[in-house]
Structure formats: structure tokens, C-alpha cells
């Protein structure tokens, strides 16, 4: 049986980061993936999504400027857009596999544990000094009659023909981002929300502003609605809910994602997991010695995002190669929903400290600035949370929210005071970051 220094199960951002770092050492490494090399983010997540969002944003911006200097707004050609997406992204898994194979051994297939130390793939058995599980998450599929008619984000991001009526179940960032894309391309969109709010981990003022903007573009929200079944009819599909029947052509289950652990046969090992993923200690080691877990498959409170997965890949490389002995400590993590408008946030959520006198919450309408007015951006709301004069939270809803919140993230992460910022930085003016110093 071949023995490696490291076996990486999965090749998404978490494992890919480690694989790249290990490529610069003399370690013998095996990388295993059962599906598209590179994982979710580059193949069926962040990257294709943001690629499609580029054209969508231009279309929606041009519509917003009708009567303010634009007389003929742009329209979206979904087929053409999707073709250019496929041209760019289709070769990526094979290219990624090739890059990894230059320095490591590679197996294409789903890995399973035979015992605490042994991994099997394609009938071959392997052991290693360290086994690293980086198998990510996979979209949920509701256990309802008609489950076979449910599609996932994976399908939407490769959809060659745009259905006339599309329904999204769920109100997290994946659901609202995809709903934004297809609605801009002309689909009639309904979003089914089982509670009374969307984007639960984001501040509510910003999330409600987003819902209003999406409703104004014709996207229908059904709140407090539970999906019970999907049925095929002679003309399309019917979604049965406790609030009535929705006629549609295409249903997307965007109710969340769950850890990819079923195929691993953890039952043959001492590795413990819960519904959020694999349990790890503060060195990312599982309940079995020398078996680690990184990325979305880990059960933890931090958001399941690519930079977090990569951070864990970097940490584990440093730990296993003796570059650090410290416990993992997560930095300030900024996040965004790439809807239109974008909702983004970092640090303390104002909803959680609204009644706490130690915090001061300031709301800044940005739409009066020429940069925003020039785009006829009528929304633009920024919320800042201060504690004892120090910025500890920022959230925003508008076209620029992701980049803008990225400007505030270092102020929070590095605990920079207003005086220190103004003494150290004069930003380009007029531009997004020019407001930072003045608001601290
Ligand atoms: C639609 C969508 C949009 C997103 N947008 C963003 C965004 O804008 N920004 C952001 O930061 N994050 C975004 N994310 C999340 C981001 O994609 C993930 O956080 C990131 O990919 C996690 O990386 P990972 O390496 O942990 O797992 P993954 O990227 O999921 O990779 C896991 C890999 O393991 C493989 N695998 C699973 N089981 C086995 C097995 N038994 N044997 C072998 N291989 C196996 C899988 O095939 C997969 O390739 C998005 C996700 C989705 C679905």
C-alpha cells in the first residue's frame, strides 16, 4: 500500500491552497477528487456567478439611468452570455487537475475511509502521515414529492435556455443572487421564503431594502410559505405550498447546503460529525489523530466562504510543516450577497447591539454624493457600528457595497482609529474609499 506524507480528499479552494503550498516542499502528496477539480467556487460557485453578474449589473445599471442620460437601456442575451461563460469555464477542471498533477499524484474518484488510517479510491488503498478532508458542501434537495423536478445552483449556472417562469425556494445569498441574474435576463421570478425575512445573517434594514428593490423590478416574494410538493402538468410544473399553488416552468432548491460526508464512510472511523460538518479542534484535527478537516466541510460558526477555506488551508500547511504551533484564530471576515443592489457586511451586526448602550449606530445615506447620484443610485445606505469610538461593524446596501465594505474591513480587523487612519491615508477622491477617513 502506498504511503504519502499528505492525502488531500477534495481539490476545492481549501485543498487547492494546501496543494499549492505543498508543491513547494519535498512532501509526497496525493490529491483525490470525485467530481470537477477545483471544487465549487471556480466551477459552479463564486467565479461563474460573478462572471455572469458582470453583464447583469451593466444591464440593470443602464435601466436605472433611463431618463438620466441613457435613452436605450441594454438588454441581456442569456444564450450569448451563457456561451461566453461556458467558453471560459468548461476547460477549468481539466486544467486544474493538470496543474496539480505536475507536482502531486492525482486520483479521480470518490474517496472512502476503510479505517482510521486507510483511504480507498478506485479500488486503490492509501495511507499517509496526515489525511486532510476537504470535501466541501453540496446543495440540499427538499424531501418532498416531486423532488426529481428540483434543480440546484449548479444547474442554473449552466442553463443554456432561460425558462419563462422560474421559482426559487430559499432566501439565502445563493437564492437571491441567482434570482437576480435570471430576472434581469427576462425570467418571471418567484422566491419562496419559509420565514418573514431574507439573508438572515445580514442586518435586516439592508436585507429589507434589497427585497423592496427586487420587488420593484417585478420579482415576487412569498413569505411565510412552506413548499409541500412539486407536480408536473401538461403545461409545466405546479408547486404546492401551504399558501397556494404556484405555476412555474423551473424550480430551484436553494434551501441551503450540507457537508459532503456521506461518501466518506466516517462510520468506519472515529471521526465525529454533526449536521454542520466534521468536528475539529483548534488545530483543525478531527477526533482521529492525524486526520484533519478544512473548508466548508468543517462544523464551525465562521461563514462558509472561499477565503475562509483558503485561510484554513494556509493555517494547516503552516501547522503541519512546523511553521506555527498556535491555535487557529480567524480574522475579521467580510461577506456579501452579489444581488442588485449588493448587500455586504463586516464585523458586529447592528441588529445584535441595537439595545446595547455601549454601541453607537450611525446610518449614512450615501446617495447624495455625486459618485452615487451619477449612477442614479437611489438606495445607497451605509450603517456603521462604533464601540468607544472604534469602528467595529459596517454594512451597506447599494451597487458598490462589496468593494465599499472591503474598504472598512481593514479598519475593523486592524482596530485602526479615525485619527490613525487620517494620519496614515489620503484616499483617491472622488472614489468609494474617500469617505472612510471622514466617517471614523
Ligand atoms: C452558487 C454558489 C456561490 C458562491 N459564491 C461565493 C462567493 O461569492 N464568495 C465566496 O467566498 N464563496 C462563495 N461560495 C462558497 C464557496 O464556493 C465555498 O465556500 C468554497 O468552494 C469552499 O471550498 P472547499 O474547498 O471547502 O469545498 P469545495 O469547493 O466544495 O470543494 C470540495 C471538493 O471535494 C470533492 N469531494 C467531495 N466528496 C469527495 C470524496 N468523497 N472524495 C473525493 N472528492 C470529494 C468535491 O467534488 C469538490 O470538488 C459560493 C457557493 C455556491 C454554491
Amino acid at each position: 500500500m502506498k504511503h504519502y506524507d499528505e492525502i488531500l480528499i477534495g481539490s476545492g479552494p481549501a485543498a487547492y491552497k494546501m496543494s499549492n503550498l505543498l508543491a513547494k516542499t519535498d512532501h509526497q502528496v496525493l490529491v483525490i477528487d470525485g467530481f470537477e477539480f477545483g471544487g465549487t467556487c471556480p466551477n459552479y460557485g463564486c467565479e461563474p456567478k460573478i462572471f455572469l453578474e458582470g453583464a447583469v449589473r451593466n444591464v440593470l445599471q443602464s435601466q436605472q439611468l433611463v431618463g438620466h442620460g441613457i435613452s436605450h437601456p441594454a438588454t441581456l442575451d442569456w444564450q450569448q452570455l451563457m456561451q461566453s461563460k461556458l467558453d471560459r469555464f468548461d476547460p477549468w477542471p481539466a486544467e486544474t487537475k493538470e496543474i496539480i498533477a505536475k507536482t502531486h499524484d492525482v486520483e479521480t474518484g470518490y474517496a472512502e475511509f476503510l479505517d482510521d488510517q486507510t483511504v480507498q479510491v478506485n479500488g486503490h488503498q492509501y495511507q499517509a502521515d496526515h489525511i486532510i478532508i476537504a470535501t466541501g458542501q453540496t446543495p440540499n434537495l427538499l424531501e418532498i414529492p416531486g423532488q426529481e423536478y428540483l434543480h440546484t445552483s449548479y444547474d442554473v449556472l449552466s442553463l443554456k435556455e432561460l425558462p419563462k417562469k422560474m421559482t426559487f425556494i430559499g432566501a439565502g445569498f445563493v437564492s437571491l443572487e441567482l434570482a437576480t441574474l435570471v430576472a434581469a435576463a427576462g425570467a418571471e421570478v418567484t422566491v419562496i421564503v419559509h420565514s418573514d425575512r431574507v439573508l438572515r445573517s445580514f442586518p435586516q434594514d439592508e436585507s429589507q431594502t434589497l427585497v423592496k428593490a427586487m420587488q420593484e423590478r417585478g420579482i415576487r416574494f412569498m413569505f411565510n410559505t412552506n413548499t409541500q410538493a412539486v407536480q408536473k402538468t401538461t403545461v409545466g410544473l405546479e408547486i404546492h405550498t401551504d399558501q397556494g399553488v404556484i405555476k412555474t416552468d423551473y424550480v430551484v432548491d436553494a434551501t441551503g447546503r450540507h457537508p459532503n460526508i456521506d461518501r466518506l464512510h466516517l462510520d468506519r472511523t472515529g471521526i465525529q460529525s454533526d449536521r454542520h460538518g466534521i468536528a475539529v479542534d483548534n488545530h483543525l484535527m478531527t477526533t482521529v489523530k492525524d486526520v484533519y478537516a478544512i473548508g466548508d466541510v468543517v462544523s464551525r460558526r465562521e461563514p462558509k466562504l472561499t477565503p475562509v477555506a483558503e485561510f484554513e488551508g494556509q493555517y494547516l500547511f503552516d501547522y503541519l510543516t512546523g511553521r506555527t504551533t498556535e491555535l487557529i484564530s480567524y480574522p475579521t471576515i467580510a461577506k456579501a450577497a452579489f444581488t442588485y443592489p449588493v448587500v455586504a457586511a463586516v464585523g458586529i451586526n447592528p441588529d445584535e447591539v441595537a439595545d446595547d448602550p455601549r454601541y453607537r449606530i450611525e446610518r449614512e445615506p450615501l446617495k447624495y454624493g455625486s459618485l452615487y447620484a451619477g449612477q442614479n443610485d437611489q438606495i445607497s445606505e451605509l450603517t456603521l457600528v462604533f464601540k468607544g469610538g472604534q469602528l467595529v461593524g459596517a454594512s451597506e446596501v447599494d451597487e458598490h457595497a462589496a468593494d465599499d465594505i472591503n474598504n472598512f474591513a481593514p479598519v475593523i480587523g486592524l482596530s485602526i482609529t479615525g485619527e490613525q487612519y487620517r494620519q496614515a491615508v489620503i484616499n483617491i477622491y472622488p472614489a468609494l474609499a474617500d469617505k472612510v477617513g471622514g466617517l471614523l
Side-chain angles (χ1 to χ4, degrees):
M1 186 187 315
K2 185 149 184 189
H3 188 100
Y4 288 92
D5 293 303
E6 276 82 30
I7 295 176
L8 292 165
I9 308 178
S11 68
Y16 191 64
K17 178 78 183 181
M18 266 199 94
S19 144
N20 278 340
L21 294 165
L22 287 164
K24 295 175 194 139
T25 68
D26 59 1
H27 288 215
Q28 296 286 303
V29 178
L30 170 66
V31 182
I32 307 168
D33 203 302
F35 192 45
E36 297 180 357
F37 272 73
T40 306
C41 182
N43 297 314
Y44 38 98
C46 350
E47 300 241 5
K49 170 195 84 185
I50 210 71
F51 178 88
L52 298 174
E53 197 256 359
V56 167
R57 186 193 285 234
N58 272 286
V59 167
L60 294 174
Q61 270 176 345
S62 79
Q63 290 172 356
Q64 189 172 287
L65 281 163
V66 170
H68 299 267
I70 298 261
S71 41
H72 297 98
T75 51
L76 204 68
D77 182 332
W78 182 263
Q79 282 183 355
Q80 194 183 81
L81 175 63
M82 196 45 78
Q83 191 52 54
S84 56
K85 179 255 159 185
L86 295 174
D87 292 346
R88 177 182 164 84
F89 289 94
D90 271 7
W92 279 23
E95 285 171 11
T96 307
K97 185 176 171 184
E98 234 172 79
I99 293 169
I100 297 172
K102 280 186 187 152
T103 44
H104 305 315
D105 286 351
V106 168
E107 281 267 21
T108 305
Y110 284 100
E112 57 180 311
F113 281 88
L114 296 182
D115 55 42
D116 279 349
Q117 287 93 32
T118 316
V119 167
Q120 175 166 278
V121 56
N122 299 325
H124 307 136
Q125 293 167 14
Y126 301 104
Q127 291 187 338
D129 289 357
H130 307 117
I131 299 174
I132 295 118
I133 305 171
T135 51
Q137 288 186 311
T138 211
N140 294 339
L141 279 182
L142 287 172
E143 300 276 343
I144 52 170
Q147 190 195 52
E148 65 272 28
Y149 303 118
L150 300 177
H151 294 274
T152 67
S153 52
Y154 182 88
D155 304 316
V156 179
L157 289 169
S158 304
L159 198 57
K160 288 191 179 151
E161 298 279 338
L162 194 69
K164 192 164 177 293
K165 293 182 182 173
M166 296 180 72
T167 304
F168 291 78
I169 311 171
F173 80 92
V174 171
S175 179
L176 300 190
E177 287 175 348
L178 297 177
T180 300
L181 297 181
V182 299
E188 279 173 41
V189 173
T190 301
V191 181
I192 300 177
V193 186
H194 79 86
S195 70
D196 59 354
R197 51 188 279 192
V198 304
L199 298 179
R200 294 188 78 85
S201 69
F202 287 81
Q204 275 316 285
D205 272 6
E206 279 82 350
S207 304
Q208 279 166 12
T209 303
L210 168 67
V211 170
K212 201 163 156 266
M214 291 176 77
Q215 284 170 329
E216 280 168 9
R217 293 202 303 277
I219 298 170
R220 181 163 75 123
F221 281 83
M222 289 179 66
F223 287 102
N224 300 309
T225 303
N226 289 301
T227 307
Q228 294 163 333
V230 182
Q231 261 177 13
K232 200 168 171 54
T233 67
T234 47
V235 288
L237 295 169
E238 277 181 358
I239 304 175
H240 293 258
T241 76
D242 56 2
Q243 303 296 324
V245 174
I246 303 161
K247 292 186 190 308
T248 192
D249 300 316
Y250 195 93
V251 191
V252 183
D253 185 343
T255 53
R257 299 187 301 141
H258 60 273
N260 265 328
I261 52 178
D262 295 349
R263 288 188 168 95
L264 290 171
H265 272 291
L266 298 182
D267 51 308
R268 297 175 185 153
T269 71
I271 299 168
Q272 285 173 12
S273 64
D274 60 25
R275 67 189 179 90
H276 303 294
I278 294 178
V280 293
D281 67 10
N282 287 330
H283 289 303
L284 300 177
M285 193 165 81
T286 68
T287 41
V288 166
K289 190 173 171 301
D290 297 328
V291 180
Y292 294 81
I294 53 175
D296 280 6
V297 76
V298 173
S299 177
R300 54 163 148 74
R301 282 179 36 238
E302 283 72 22
K304 301 206 167 182
L305 296 170
T306 290
V308 182
E310 291 176 336
F311 180 81
E312 289 175 345
Q314 174 77 55
Y315 168 82
L316 191 57
F317 170 79
D318 290 344
Y319 180 63
L320 295 182
T321 55
R323 286 165 171 81
T324 183
T325 53
E326 299 286 317
L327 306 180
I328 189 165
S329 161
Y330 291 90
T332 297
I333 301 169
K335 60 187 178 186
F338 290 92
T339 42
Y340 193 88
V342 176
V343 179
V346 62
I348 303 271
N349 180 336
D351 300 346
E352 286 162 16
V353 295
D355 300 324
D356 188 331
R358 291 172 302 164
Y359 293 89
R360 190 178 87 246
I361 297 171
E362 287 186 6
R363 305 214 185 257
E364 305 287 341
L366 302 175
K367 66 179 179 183
Y368 302 109
S370 301
L371 192 149
Y372 295 85
Q375 286 155 348
N376 191 29
D377 187 341
Q378 291 297 322
I379 294 175
S380 299
E381 292 162 9
L382 170 67
T383 304
L384 300 177
V385 182
F386 293 89
K387 188 179 184 194
Q390 172 65 49
L391 185 73
V392 292
S395 49
E396 186 169 330
V397 54
D398 59 47
E399 292 163 36
H400 305 292
D403 288 326
D404 227 1
I405 289 302
N406 266 346
N407 290 326
F408 286 101
V411 176
I412 296 172
L414 299 168
S415 299
I416 297 166
T417 64
E419 203 181 333
Q420 285 169 330
Y421 187 94
R422 288 185 292 274
Q423 195 54 45
V425 180
I426 293 182
N427 289 110
I428 293 168
Y429 176 89
L432 291 178
D434 70 37
K435 66 173 96 49
V436 176
L439 291 173
L440 297 178

